[in-house]
Amino acid sequence: MDAHAVCYYTTGINPLNSKTMSYREKENLVNIFSGLLITGVYAWMVYQRQLAGQIDLTVNYNKWGEILLIFMGISIVARIIIYIIFHIINAIATRGEDIPKEDERDKLVKLKATRNSHYVFSGGFVLGILALAIGMPIYWIFVAFVVSGLLSEIVDNTSQIYYYRKDL
Amino acid sequence: MGKSIIRTYIRKLRFNQGEMTQQQLADEVDVSRQTIVAIEKEKYSPSLELAFRIARVFDRRLEEAFWYRNGDQTK
């Protein structure tokens, strides 16, 4: 089975008939990559500090709060910068084509995607609680927060791309 | 009870309106062209308000632009 057939049978989308990517699809792709990039870089930096002995996240739980709050701030600023760059590149590539306004179908797509992402985040939270219940270290709950937060965002954006490609 | 579907005559109405484009219709009713595409393909059922707005563009009654078909019905 070739890649086209795999794509068709797993998503129901025939890549040979696929349309050019719409603004919303591009926006969601940028969201996925920026989420992965920002979280990946920040997690790597925090991990390096942990390895260097500057912090000990296995025992200092207050530090998790500080790190997550800083992460939220960095994430917002980084996303704004990435969005500006995306809009500039998109405007050049589409020769200043208008950004489509959000209509009722966009809202429905977002609603369904948010539902899917909440399932993933709730699942991650339950797994974190289960990890505590079976005797895993307490810091695992924070790891579960971060991982399920990232996964839920990916699921949110991937769901939107899927619904747009399927024409809902 | 089977899957219910809102069927549409939009494509025909656009043709009768001097080959009105999907983008023109989308601009008239204030939605994206992709939404008009999805409605025409009967993949997306518009809200009642949007359905009325679309029918009004063609100066038709709602049931002349859309009709309801229950999935159980054969015709």
Side-chain angles (χ1 to χ4, degrees), chain B residues 1-63:
Chain B
M1 191 175 160
K3 190 184 174 190
S4 58
I5 299 167
I6 303 288
R7 312 304 293 269
T8 179
Y9 295 118
I10 293 180
R11 177 70 193 89
K12 200 168 101 183
L13 291 170
R14 279 199 304 110
F15 178 79
N16 292 338
Q17 197 87 351
E19 272 296 340
M20 175 190 257
T21 65
Q22 290 172 332
Q23 187 61 59
Q24 284 169 335
L25 177 59
D27 292 340
E28 289 272 354
V29 295
D30 208 23
V31 295
S32 66
R33 193 184 70 82
Q34 281 73 25
T35 299
I36 298 296
V37 172
I39 294 170
E40 279 193 8
K41 286 166 131 182
E42 297 175 348
K43 296 271 182 82
Y44 171 66
S45 299
S47 68
L48 197 53
E49 187 188 340
L50 178 56
F52 270 112
R53 286 211 305 266
I54 291 172
R56 185 170 287 183
V57 168
F58 300 111
D59 203 20
R60 301 288 179 125
R61 286 180 292 127
L62 184 64
E63 57 269 36

Side-chain angles (χ1 to χ4, degrees), chain A residues 19 22 100-106 108 164 166-168, chain B residues 30-32 34-35 37-38 41 43-47 50:
Chain A
K19 310 155 275 192
S22 70
K101 61 184 90 171
E102 190 178 79
D103 62 22
E104 59 175 50
R105 183 167 150 271
D106 295 320
L108 185 62
Y164 279 121
K166 288 276 282 181
D167 280 331
L168 194 70
Chain B
D30 208 23
V31 295
S32 66
Q34 281 73 25
T35 299
V37 172
K41 286 166 131 182
K43 296 271 182 82
Y44 171 66
S45 299
S47 68
L50 178 56

Side-chain angles (χ1 to χ4, degrees), chain A residues 3 15-16 32 53 82 86 89 94 100 116 125 138-139 144-145 147 149 151:
Chain A
L16 298 174
I32 292 171
I82 290 170
F86 163 64
I89 294 171
T94 60
N116 295 346
F125 182 76
I138 294 170
Y139 71 87
F145 277 151
V147 172
L151 283 179

Side-chain angles (χ1 to χ4, degrees), chain A residues 2 11 21 23 26 46 60 79-81 83 86 90-91 108 112 121 133 148 154 158 165 167:
Chain A
D2 66 3
T11 65
M21 201 169 269
Y23 173 81
K26 284 186 263 185
V46 170
N60 188 356
R79 271 164 199 276
I80 289 170
I81 295 167
Y83 264 38
F86 163 64
N90 186 59
L108 185 62
K112 287 187 170 188
F121 190 78
S148 56
I154 292 170
T158 311
R165 285 264 139 178
D167 280 331

